[in-house]
Structure formats: structure tokens, C-alpha cells
Amino acid sequence: MNLPFLGNRRRKLADARFTAAPEAVAALLSECELLRSQAAQAGVRLDDTAASLEALDQLVPRWRDDAETLPWLGNDAGLYLGTVVVRTLPGAQWEIRPGEPPVVRLASGREIDVVTAGRGWAESGVPELSQLYAEVAEV
């Protein structure tokens, strides 16, 4: 519903909703149900560490044959990468903007488009999730 008299208030309210409870947002983004299910089937435990990203990079990409699963798994992979970054790098946090995929903002101010990275990983294996994490962790 477009209510012109509200002006930018609706956008500010939407932004406030996400900044009010960063822990709740982080918990929601960390679910990654499809990725966690696929990893568990392959015997990989996702414990929100950099080592689990390395284990994901070693999985045989059977999902690439399933055009329906591929984009969802890529999205989950990106959110999982973001979860690992936010939980392990001091000052890193999720940034949510209405109508855009979530990004991770590092303490330095740099933003990482983890969803796009996850989709690339699911489609072609590039970038490797562990390599991207290593690059981000060095900054």
C-alpha cells in the first residue's frame, strides 16, 4: 500500500525493525536449512566455523544437476558464509536493507555480498567459501 503522506517513515520503520534485534536477525539468517540438510547427508557438520567452510568446499556438488535446488542452496551457502563471518570476526554484522539481499559489514566498513558469493559457489565452485572467508578475515 502506497501512502504518500507517510513519506520515508515506512522505510525508516522497516530499517528500525531490523536494527532493533540484531541477534534475532542473525539467528534467522543462520538457519540455512537446505544447506545444513545437504551437508548432514554428506556427513559434514556445520558448526559455524571456518573449518566447516572448508568441509563444504570439499563436497561433491550433486546439487548442480537440480535446477530447482541450485538457487536455494546457493542462497543458503551465502547466508552460512555470512553467519560464520559474523560469529567469528569481531565487529562484523549483518546489514539488512529493504528489497535487497543481506550483506555483511565488517568492522572496517567493507561490505561483503555473501549471497552472491554463495550462489557463485553453488553454481561453479568459485569462489570457494573458505578462500573468501580467509580473504575477509585478513582485512
Side-chain angles (χ1 to χ4, degrees):
M1 175 183 279
N2 185 11
L3 303 172
F5 62 87
L6 288 177
N8 286 332
R9 241 184 240 159
R10 281 183 26 209
R11 175 169 279 154
K12 288 179 185 175
L13 288 172
D15 289 345
R17 184 175 66 230
F18 289 116
T19 57
E23 298 84 17
V25 172
L28 180 65
L29 294 175
S30 71
E31 287 180 3
C32 312
E33 200 171 308
L34 179 60
L35 180 68
R36 289 182 188 277
S37 171
Q38 295 271 335
Q41 288 175 9
V44 173
R45 182 172 172 267
L46 299 184
D47 58 1
D48 302 343
T49 63
S52 66
L53 294 173
E54 291 176 22
L56 282 174
D57 287 337
Q58 301 304 312
L59 289 179
V60 175
R62 292 185 175 96
W63 59 83
R64 290 189 188 139
D65 296 332
D66 186 349
E68 234 175 88
T69 301
L70 186 63
W72 294 103
L73 191 73
N75 193 64
D76 274 10
L79 294 178
Y80 184 71
L81 170 63
T83 295
V84 173
V85 170
V86 167
R87 291 189 175 164
T88 61
L89 298 182
Q93 62 187 6
W94 286 106
E95 180 143 334
I96 309 288
R97 297 182 193 113
E100 297 181 24
V103 297
V104 172
R105 180 181 294 276
L106 302 176
S108 67
R110 178 180 171 202
E111 288 184 358
I112 310 300
D113 184 353
V114 292
V115 172
T116 298
R119 289 178 181 158
W121 173 83
E123 292 170 6
S124 66
V126 177
E128 286 187 341
L129 298 176
S130 60
Q131 181 61 37
L132 185 56
Y133 175 84
E135 290 170 11
V136 168
E138 286 179 7
V139 174

